[in-house]
Amino acid sequence: MPRPTRKRVEPIRTEALLVRRVPVGEADLIITLFTEARGMMGAVARSARRTSKRFAGLEPMHLLRVSLEERAGSDLALLVEASIAKPRLHLTTALDRLEAAGRALRWIRGVAPPGTPEPGLFCTVNDLLDALDVAPPEGSVNAHLATAGLRMLGNIGFGLVLDRCVHCGKPCAPEATACLDAEAGGLVCRACGGARLVVRSALRARIEAAAAGDDAAILAEDAQVVVDLVEAALSAHAAPAR
Ligand SMILES: [Zn+2]
């Protein structure tokens, strides 16, 4: 009787970011990749801690090129090959940049569902890592992070609503000071209960400009409040834990 031929499965070749690595057993790694082709993916990298040849540069921050084989009956793919497509060597030399990048990767891990391509999110986080790699001006690291965070919200379909109340839809005049509830997704008018955070019109305009693509809109002094906003909004839309 002829042996049943094992169906040859084409490996998935894609660019990816390493978002988590957990050592398992003697030499293996369980990794989480944010891939361009399939979004979040878990994979096993066999003997990755023993031989670095097949898995050169399996480190966070660099843009990687990977080959993965899906395995029947398992949530974890098999990492066949990994190499660095674009190194980001300067990013890892400054603590503040590394921290900002790490935070962005945590955000991604929190909101990107497994197995679903998120091209916008992939692009936004890679743009941020590139910007952090080319020595951003003193004090602007968190402004970059804040800007990327606002865009991530847009990428996943939860961009902050800043021109009207998210509850009743009442428009808010551009020059007005407004109450912003990030977890609710944007402005909340006083009739609907308002919100603890009060945002002046100028900052509201800068947040809107940054979300829409202006890289220089968020000022250093805005960064912390915007990062906090992003974090609150993202956590309200976190993907189920896995
Ligand atoms: Zn309202």
Side-chain angles (χ1 to χ4, degrees):
M1 215 170 88
R3 260 187 30 212
T5 48
R6 196 166 144 257
K7 218 172 96 195
R8 181 101 190 108
V9 185
E10 274 299 301
I12 302 161
R13 290 177 217 283
T14 179
E15 294 193 332
L17 292 169
L18 179 68
V19 295
R20 180 160 47 187
R21 48 185 281 163
V22 180
V24 190
E26 294 269 300
D28 299 344
L29 285 176
I30 303 263
I31 57 172
T32 307
L33 294 166
F34 182 47
T35 69
E36 186 178 29
R38 297 286 183 89
M40 233 19 120
M41 284 185 79
V44 184
R46 290 214 194 290
S47 305
R49 281 147 58 218
R50 199 172 288 147
T51 160
S52 59
K53 223 166 79 191
R54 262 183 316 144
F55 303 129
L58 199 54
E59 289 166 29
M61 309 310 166
H62 306 309
L63 180 64
L64 305 177
R65 189 170 293 124
V66 298
S67 292
L68 296 153
E69 262 174 26
E70 284 177 299
R71 302 183 303 165
S74 174
D75 287 343
L76 294 175
L78 185 69
L79 183 69
V80 183
E81 230 174 335
S83 60
I84 298 180
K86 184 200 250 183
R88 297 190 177 106
L89 300 172
H90 306 295
L91 174 51
T92 52
T93 61
L95 189 60
D96 58 340
R97 290 191 254 161
L98 204 54
E99 277 177 350
R103 196 147 173 189
L105 291 179
R106 274 203 305 282
W107 288 348
I108 296 277
R109 217 168 69 193
V111 294
T116 311
E118 293 280 356
L121 213 48
F122 193 78
C123 188
T124 299
V125 69
N126 276 293
D127 284 352
L128 172 67
L129 297 181
D130 286 343
L132 294 176
D133 192 45
V134 292
E138 192 74 28
S140 73
V141 166
N142 278 329
H144 279 288
L145 176 66
T147 301
L150 291 170
R151 290 181 194 161
M152 285 180 196
L153 283 170
N155 294 145
I156 60 170
F158 293 108
L160 292 173
V161 174
L162 297 174
D163 61 349
R164 61 187 187 280
C165 171
V166 290
H167 293 312
C168 70
K170 186 182 153 207
C172 181
E175 67 283 1
T177 295
C179 297
L180 205 170
D181 182 342
E183 283 165 46
L187 303 187
V188 177
C189 76
R190 288 180 206 284
C192 290
R196 220 178 314 151
L197 180 67
V198 175
V199 179
R200 288 178 189 281
S201 61
L203 174 57
R204 185 152 58 97
R206 293 199 292 275
I207 292 175
E208 280 194 298
D214 183 345
D215 287 333
I218 298 294
L219 309 177
E221 73 232 41
D222 305 332
Q224 192 54 54
V225 71
V226 178
V227 165
D228 290 347
L229 275 176
V230 166
E231 205 137 79
L234 285 172
S235 64
H237 301 296
R242 48 179 192 280

